Amino acid sequence: MPLIDLRSDTVTQPTAGMRAAMLAAELGDDVYGEDPTVNRLEAWLAAELGFAAALFVPTGTMSNLLGLMAHCERGDEYIVGQQAHTYKYEGGGAAVLGSIQPQPLDGEADGSLDLARVEAAIKQDDFHFARTRLLALENTMQGKVLPLAYLAAARELTRRRGLALHLDGARLYNAAVKLGMPAREITQHFDSVSVCLSKGLGAPVGSVLCGSAALIGKARRLRKMVGGGMRQAGVLAAAGLYALQHQVERLAADHANAARLGEALLELGYSVEPVQTNMVYVQLGERASTVKAFMAERGIAVSAAPRLRLVTHLDVNAEQIEQVIEAFAAFRSF
Ligand SMILES: *Cc1c(COP(=O)(O)O)cnc(C)c1O
């Protein structure tokens, strides 16, 4: 019985078509700017998302870090959500490596940051204060899609107050597919966007930072500094390019599987948060301590947490979702 791994959408294996693309990739030394496949990926995604330039990096953590460091100098500040990946899950990199002070704010239920509270948090020009320089948003945020009107309002606010606007778009394409719109409809509002190729898109490695030519020039220097300059990286970029060109539309299947799972768990009496994309959050409370072992016995991998996150992806099919539903039915009466 193959393992049904619902811990994350990062656990996927490269598909046959992706492996073929990796094998066939034309390669060069990307630190010299000579890897044709990396160059193709960067040019392709920059054009698709409406930016002048892009930079291929090993991880989303590095992509966000370079974005923040390219926008902010030492002693600058960025406004960010308490639960945002850049703030909470990246080892404090912006502060440690960039000397950029975070100003975290509590997020709203829909995944946004209240813009009135963002504006109130912008510090005056006063030598007592760090210089507020940037607002960082995340989309999708724990599976939730930020409304386009909200993004336009965030753009208006940041322009008016002279801040840059960065998007952690690790799952940008889940948001775009859910909205049924080109990703550019989302990214048009931002000065920089980080996109993960190794989440739902299914590539083994890689993220891309998009922005202006000047910003990406700065980020390229910083990438070398933090050890992210890779050589024949086209073997990885080929996987990313394949994912972008062949594995975006299929995200709708992951969303359908997550919706089916969420509805079924709700019918079984579980407390389930509304599902928008490929994540199902279930409140398990005290029962969280036993769920991992119970599911493991049935060939299902989950992370034990009182607010359990179940993530669908290209290596979980609709039939397996039915198996998961049966297992949760059994867990209820266990
Ligand atoms: C996964 C993720 C990242 C970056 O992750 P890496 O593991 O460093 O590639 C950034 N933001 C969000 C929202 C993520 O889910």
Side-chain angles (χ1 to χ4, degrees):
M1 187 166 68
L3 181 76
I4 304 171
D5 195 339
L6 298 174
R7 291 171 303 164
S8 175
D9 47 9
T10 56
V11 299
T12 56
Q13 294 288 319
T15 56
M18 181 177 281
R19 287 174 192 263
M22 294 171 79
L23 199 60
E26 260 190 281
L27 306 176
D29 187 332
D30 181 51
V31 174
Y32 286 99
E34 291 173 2
D35 188 295
T37 311
V38 171
N39 292 341
R40 211 145 44 84
L41 168 65
E42 291 175 348
W44 191 92
L45 194 58
E48 153 135 312
L49 299 184
F51 290 95
L55 186 68
F56 182 55
V57 295
T59 64
T61 298
M62 188 182 291
S63 185
N64 281 324
L65 175 69
L66 301 187
L68 293 172
M69 286 179 70
H71 283 294
C72 301
E73 302 298 327
R74 291 183 71 199
D76 285 352
E77 170 184 83
Y78 79 112
I79 297 175
V80 64
Q82 288 280 5
Q83 303 304 323
H85 203 280
T86 52
Y87 174 62
K88 191 170 175 183
Y89 299 98
E90 296 180 5
V96 176
L97 300 166
S99 300
I100 305 162
Q101 162 172 292
Q103 169 61 71
L105 299 178
D106 287 331
E108 302 301 305
D110 68 356
S112 70
L113 296 177
D114 182 290
L115 293 177
R117 294 180 61 195
V118 169
E119 184 152 22
I122 298 172
K123 293 174 179 54
Q124 290 168 24
D125 183 4
D126 177 319
F127 64 74
H128 290 87
F129 302 142
R131 293 168 301 242
T132 310
R133 179 73 196 97
L134 177 129
L135 171 63
L137 299 176
E138 188 173 312
N139 195 14
T140 60
M141 175 65 191
Q142 300 192 346
K144 293 174 187 136
V145 180
L146 299 182
L148 289 178
Y150 171 79
L151 301 183
R155 175 74 284 183
E156 187 282 321
L157 166 66
T158 50
R159 278 236 169 87
R160 180 161 50 75
R161 299 300 304 265
L163 305 190
L165 186 58
H166 173 74
L167 177 65
D168 178 354
R171 296 185 180 82
L172 168 69
Y173 282 95
N174 291 91
V177 165
K178 176 65 182 183
L179 291 172
M181 286 179 182
R184 182 195 276 251
E185 294 295 318
I186 296 169
T187 57
Q188 63 171 334
H189 298 292
F190 292 87
D191 297 303
S192 55
V193 174
S194 166
V195 180
C196 284
L197 306 169
S198 60
K199 300 282 169 82
L201 294 181
V205 174
S207 289
V208 180
L209 179 69
C210 298
S212 68
L215 189 90
I216 296 302
K218 248 177 126 177
R220 193 175 288 279
R221 172 181 287 271
L222 291 163
R223 182 184 69 173
K224 189 71 184 124
M225 191 181 83
V226 298
M230 299 184 288
R231 303 296 178 173
Q232 285 69 35
V235 71
L236 302 174
L241 202 51
Y242 184 90
L244 288 164
Q245 294 176 344
H246 301 278
Q247 298 185 166
V248 168
E249 285 78 20
R250 61 150 311 284
L251 291 171
D254 299 342
H255 299 174
N257 284 337
R260 161 71 185 140
L261 179 58
E263 279 160 28
L265 294 183
L266 203 58
E267 273 173 33
L268 287 170
Y270 287 97
S271 166
V272 184
E273 297 174 25
V275 176
Q276 292 187 25
T277 56
N278 68 331
M279 293 189 184
V280 182
Y281 283 92
V282 190
Q283 298 291 346
L284 282 185
E286 290 165 5
R287 303 216 61 204
S289 59
T290 51
V291 72
K292 190 173 169 178
F294 185 92
M295 293 299 157
E297 278 172 23
R298 288 153 185 82
I300 300 164
V302 299
S303 327
R307 181 173 176 248
L308 182 68
R309 184 184 80 160
L310 304 169
V311 189
T312 58
H313 52 74
L314 59 78
D315 287 340
V316 176
N317 61 35
E319 210 176 297
Q320 291 172 316
I321 290 295
E322 298 307 316
Q323 283 173 244
V324 173
I325 292 165
E326 277 172 37
F328 272 92
F331 183 65
R332 232 192 115 227
S333 44
F334 152 72

